[in-house]
Amino acid sequence: MTIKTDAVVIGAGPVGLFSVFELGILNLDCHIIDNLDKIGGQCIELYPDKPIYDIPGLPNCTGKSLIDNLLEQIKPFKKQFHLNQRVNTIKKINKLWQVITSDNKIFETPNIIIAGGVGSFEPRKPEVKDINKFEGKGFYYSVKDKAQFTDEIVAIFGGGDSALDWAVELSTIAKKIYLIHRRDNFKGSPHTLNKVKEISKTNKIEIKTFYQLKELRGKDKLENIEIQHDNGKIEQLDINSVIAFFGLKMELGPIADWSLNLEEKSIVVNTHNFQTNHEGIFAIGDICTYPGKLKLILSGFHEGALAAKECFIRARPNENFVFQYTTSSTKIQKILGVK
Amino acid sequence: MPKVTYIEFEGKEHSINLPLGFSIMEGAIQNSIKGIDADCGGSCACATCHVYVDENWVKKLPEIQESERDMLDFVTELKNNSRLSCQITMTDQLDGIIVRLPKKQG
């Protein structure tokens, strides 16, 4: 089924969210797509508790409180979030853009606003041979369906929350879990860490510290791995699956293939409406560049407002664009639900 | 103003003067020195400003904080002198510091 909408916003960070506001007060609906499993982009993924001091009118906020406030601000508008998926392809069909996500959701829209920050968050891959061969065939970066690990021997790599949480969770169904970390310092909630230690007494979880992944082996599917201790000692483990939690990294991803004019890892836009070299595709926030560009959240807000205006002109070709203030426009106040 | 020298993986050297209080990462970004990405903008949250600090300077650096150590887990080719350049702030004691850039970030 194709979803028709006035605008598709790629990226649910602060700038993407505020563009939803700017579209909203022009009475445009939109769909927001993000590769993370939560709303907020870097503000939530990287620095939820870090103070931000340069949001106009907000002397002091945190990544999390800024996102909470933005979500509150866009509450009145028609919008829908599609998380955990990234936009894979875009195609021009007549005057509209067709947008297809990794979950095969299809959108048709006159406007695409790319507010992708430094790119989409992708799992970090270890530097080992044949990694591509085994991805999805015994080597995983996340748990989509935990039942697949039933009665398996699973090696979990990493020392953070995800690694610890899944070690505990999967220990109830798997035959055995190896929890393997480069250091002996696990970073997770003390409660989960205690639980891991408790279970490890039964040998259901075996903790191996100061080890790194060296080699993957198997015929069609992963069967065996080689890990190396800091002291040089090499060990072989027969396993059925590996789940690697080596953190996230930001990558431009498929955006690089959309024949947009790029400069380094940024998309070139004009400063009139922040349109790219493709009509109807806009780039705002950290991902765009133009002479004088500053990578500030506040710049992204401004860019979103101007892009939204052009989105209106494209989505409502038979209507006149009328510039209005939220303080005085009864029309906007009605949309906001305050009148 | 204290001086920093960056040596790219291929050997190209860049020496810049970096005002006190700025990080070695910022010095690279502001002078368009290739090889430091700094995706997260200095939040100690991405490990894409990894450098190898010249052995003579390692001991002069302040101790690695837990947050930096956690991120260093994610760099490719971790060595004993690996640091995140966003966490090294310029002081007079670091005048002349040399850092080498890895083959790739992240």
Side-chain angles (χ1 to χ4, degrees):
Chain A
M1 193 194 77
T2 301
I3 302 169
K4 290 186 189 299
T5 178
D6 291 323
V8 165
V9 177
I10 303 175
V15 170
L17 293 179
F18 193 68
S19 75
V20 174
F21 177 87
E22 290 294 334
L23 293 165
I25 59 170
L26 298 174
N27 225 352
L28 300 179
D29 66 69
C30 66
H31 288 257
I32 307 108
I33 302 164
D34 199 293
N35 204 20
L36 286 176
D37 58 0
K38 44 191 172 297
I39 297 168
Q42 286 197 38
C43 283
I44 293 296
E45 185 62 34
L46 298 186
Y47 47 85
D49 306 320
K50 210 174 157 180
I52 309 174
Y53 300 109
D54 62 350
I55 306 297
L58 276 179
N60 185 350
C61 66
T62 62
K64 172 145 188 354
S65 74
L66 179 65
I67 296 301
D68 287 345
N69 277 325
L70 283 163
L71 281 173
E72 181 67 30
Q73 203 165 13
I74 61 173
K75 231 182 200 164
F77 307 125
K78 263 180 79 182
K79 81 265 164 202
Q80 204 182 321
F81 287 95
H82 307 268
L83 302 173
N84 251 328
Q85 54 201 298
R86 70 176 190 196
V87 175
N88 273 348
T89 53
I90 58 164
K91 198 163 81 184
K92 194 151 197 185
I93 300 177
N94 297 321
K95 281 191 162 173
L96 297 177
W97 288 102
Q98 186 191 58
V99 175
I100 306 178
T101 72
S102 50
D103 272 11
N104 278 319
K105 283 193 187 161
I106 305 174
F107 302 87
E108 211 171 71
T109 180
N111 300 300
I112 299 172
I113 297 181
I114 305 173
V118 214
S120 71
F121 283 90
E122 306 280 346
R124 211 180 278 271
K125 300 179 177 190
E127 299 266 309
V128 285
K129 218 174 69 198
D130 288 337
I131 183 100
N132 294 333
K133 176 178 156 190
F134 294 113
E135 278 172 1
K137 290 178 190 156
F139 198 99
Y140 309 95
Y141 299 103
S142 62
V143 178
K144 291 237 157 77
D145 171 23
K146 72 172 188 177
Q148 76 174 93
F149 301 105
T150 309
D151 297 329
E152 284 198 351
I153 302 174
V154 183
I156 297 178
F157 282 84
D161 277 318
S162 308
L164 294 170
D165 288 348
W166 281 115
V168 170
E169 182 78 26
L170 294 181
S171 69
T172 59
I173 55 166
K175 196 160 143 196
K176 183 181 175 104
I177 306 279
Y178 290 106
L179 178 60
I180 306 165
H181 186 33
R182 200 143 131 169
R183 290 189 285 126
D184 66 346
N185 190 350
F186 287 91
K187 199 178 103 186
S189 78
H191 172 73
T192 319
L193 193 52
N194 285 337
K195 222 161 173 186
V196 167
K197 284 188 180 143
E198 193 61 36
I199 302 171
S200 71
K201 285 179 191 154
T202 68
N203 233 3
K204 192 99 193 176
I205 296 180
E206 187 175 336
I207 303 173
K208 300 189 88 67
T209 49
F210 300 108
Y211 277 95
Q212 289 187 54
L213 180 61
K214 274 288 154 199
E215 215 174 302
L216 304 171
R217 289 200 208 99
K219 221 169 149 220
D220 304 312
K221 200 183 167 294
L222 191 58
E223 293 162 12
N224 177 278
I225 56 170
E226 200 174 279
I227 55 174
Q228 186 173 26
H229 193 270
D230 278 0
N231 65 16
K233 198 181 120 202
I234 285 179
E235 218 175 294
Q236 318 267 352
L237 299 176
D238 288 329
I239 46 89
N240 302 104
S241 296
V242 167
I243 315 171
F245 296 106
F246 293 124
L248 297 168
K249 114 183 231 187
M250 287 165 272
E251 277 176 0
L252 203 49
I255 291 176
D257 307 324
W258 298 347
S259 68
L260 296 164
N261 286 344
L262 299 179
E263 233 172 59
E264 300 276 330
K265 288 195 266 177
S266 306
I267 303 170
V268 179
V269 291
N270 72 59
T271 48
H272 169 69
N273 53 26
F274 299 92
Q275 200 159 229
T276 64
N277 55 315
H278 288 308
E279 265 185 36
I281 302 187
F282 305 83
I284 60 174
D286 283 359
I287 205 159
C288 79
T289 187
Y290 49 85
K293 166 73 183 175
L294 289 178
K295 286 191 181 186
L296 294 175
I297 292 173
L298 71 95
S299 314
F301 289 166
H302 160 79
E303 292 153 11
L306 270 66
K309 177 184 164 187
E310 188 65 27
C311 289
F312 176 88
I313 295 167
R314 291 179 52 82
R316 305 272 189 275
N318 301 321
E319 291 176 37
N320 280 330
F321 174 82
V322 185
F323 174 70
Q324 295 181 98
Y325 291 106
T326 57
T327 39
S328 53
S329 161
T330 48
K331 198 177 159 195
I332 293 180
Q333 287 165 358
K334 222 168 133 191
I335 300 172
L336 290 171
V338 291
K339 262 263 154 70
Chain B
M1 227 186 286
K3 198 177 93 172
V4 188
T5 301
Y6 303 82
I7 305 176
E8 285 183 36
F9 186 74
E10 304 290 345
K12 195 171 165 195
E13 284 190 24
H14 308 261
S15 287
I16 63 156
N17 293 314
L18 187 61
L20 294 176
F22 279 77
S23 73
I24 295 211
M25 177 278 281
E26 288 171 302
I29 296 297
Q30 286 175 9
N31 290 280
S32 307
I33 293 167
K34 290 218 167 97
I36 289 188
D37 295 344
D39 281 345
C40 79
S43 311
C44 195
C46 75
T48 60
C49 65
H50 174 211
V51 296
Y52 301 115
V53 176
D54 187 276
E55 298 294 348
N56 297 323
W57 294 91
V58 172
K59 288 211 175 80
K60 294 179 182 153
L61 296 177
E63 193 116 333
I64 298 188
Q65 297 292 306
E66 197 52 36
S67 57
E68 182 181 351
R69 204 177 290 281
D70 287 335
M71 287 320 300
L72 278 170
D73 267 352
F74 299 129
V75 307
T76 13
E77 292 264 346
L78 183 77
K79 295 183 189 167
N80 286 337
N81 57 342
S82 284
R83 292 293 302 257
L84 295 184
S85 56
C86 71
Q87 300 302 304
I88 307 175
T89 305
M90 213 50 198
T91 57
D92 280 323
Q93 290 72 38
L94 295 180
D95 186 12
I97 187 171
I98 299 167
V99 297
R100 291 182 175 79
L101 309 186
K103 191 171 176 189
K104 73 179 251 238
Q105 292 288 352

